[in-house]
Amino acid sequence: KEKCCGMPKLELGDLDGVDAHKQANIPVLAKYAKDGYAILAAVPSCALMFKQELPLMYPDEADVQLVKEHMWDPFEYLMARKRDGLLKTEFSTPLGKISYQIPCHGRVQNIGKKTEEMLKMVPGTSVQTHERCSGHAGTFGVKKATHQQAMKIGKPLFKAMAQHKDGGLPDVISSDCPLGGHHIAQGFEVNQLGAPTQKHPLTLIRTAYGLE
């Protein structure tokens, strides 16, 4: 069974920990890549770890480079399949007003606004996109010594997301980063900005397809 991607260890400078996770993960994922599978990671930092950080750290390891070529952000993959004519777009459930944040580890992958593109395909859905850091910053937002600073950094984003372009509070706040999404929801609570539902974009698309 695969383990953590190793990004938290990398952020802390624990390269031995990164290597241990890599030794566990790459044989598993490389097998899927060799069998022709696309590999998706639902957390942007995890996708980035396999797409960029590990390939830079292990440039001469063929399996690391192979996994890099087969690793996708979920919405990058789904929109690629739309271009192929393979994506079903018969959405049955509107999602209302969404305030959506593109996380930093998503932007750095240079894949464009693929999540926004797909959410906007759902009828009865209005998406307002924000490209500002939530303040979570990996482990920074959960450490006692830096949590308050993380909340302060994110405050401009929280306030912006609380005012939807179609007026009033959004129905849903969402971020591709699960940690960032929870941090934003906490920011709403702490700053008394209201209590919209907080959901990951993949959960929203599941709802749009009528799967829940």
Side-chain angles (χ1 to χ4, degrees):
K1 181 175 175 58
E2 67 272 18
K3 297 183 180 296
C4 171
C5 69
M7 180 67 83
K9 297 289 188 181
L10 181 62
E11 290 178 343
L12 296 172
D14 180 4
L15 299 186
D16 289 338
V18 173
D19 188 72
H21 286 309
K22 172 257 186 186
Q23 297 293 347
N25 287 324
I26 292 300
V28 177
L29 298 177
K31 180 181 184 302
Y32 285 113
K34 290 170 185 175
D35 288 342
Y37 284 92
I39 306 169
L40 280 63
V43 182
S45 57
C46 300
L48 183 66
M49 190 69 179
F50 290 106
K51 280 184 174 185
Q52 178 173 301
E53 306 299 347
L54 288 176
L56 287 171
M57 294 175 70
Y58 302 91
D60 299 324
E61 294 199 18
D63 280 357
V64 172
Q65 303 302 321
L66 181 65
V67 171
K68 169 188 174 180
E69 297 304 320
H70 285 254
M71 181 64 62
W72 296 74
D73 167 88
F75 287 91
E76 176 191 19
Y77 179 82
L78 291 170
M79 295 307 292
R81 299 293 71 80
K82 180 178 183 291
R83 291 195 298 272
D84 296 338
L86 297 174
L87 182 71
K88 293 183 178 181
T89 57
E90 296 77 26
F91 299 107
S92 61
T93 306
L95 300 173
K97 297 186 296 184
I98 300 173
S99 278
Y100 160 67
Q101 186 245 5
I102 304 176
C104 304
H105 283 163
R107 281 185 284 160
V108 76
Q109 293 179 49
N110 295 318
I111 58 177
K113 299 180 180 180
K114 297 296 187 286
T115 302
E116 177 193 71
E117 289 179 38
M118 189 160 184
L119 290 172
K120 285 184 173 180
M121 291 164 53
V122 181
T125 301
S126 176
V127 182
Q128 180 166 307
T129 300
H130 302 267
E131 297 188 64
R132 185 166 187 144
C133 178
S134 71
H136 193 282
T139 58
F140 186 81
V142 294
K143 291 179 179 177
K144 186 175 181 179
T146 51
H147 174 70
Q148 290 303 321
Q149 187 178 354
M151 295 300 291
K152 183 177 180 180
I153 291 169
K155 191 172 182 178
L157 173 69
F158 309 150
K159 293 176 72 174
M161 291 183 73
Q163 299 297 321
H164 197 275
K165 62 183 179 179
D166 289 347
L169 195 68
D171 300 308
V172 182
I173 51 175
S174 187
S175 173
D176 296 286
C177 176
L179 296 174
H182 288 301
H183 189 72
I184 292 165
Q186 187 176 13
F188 267 65
E189 180 181 357
V190 168
N191 294 285
Q192 299 181 333
L193 297 172
T197 301
Q198 185 262 316
K199 291 185 177 181
H200 191 279
L202 287 173
T203 302
L204 292 174
I205 289 300
R206 177 180 170 84
T207 299
Y209 277 125
L211 296 174
E212 60 177 30

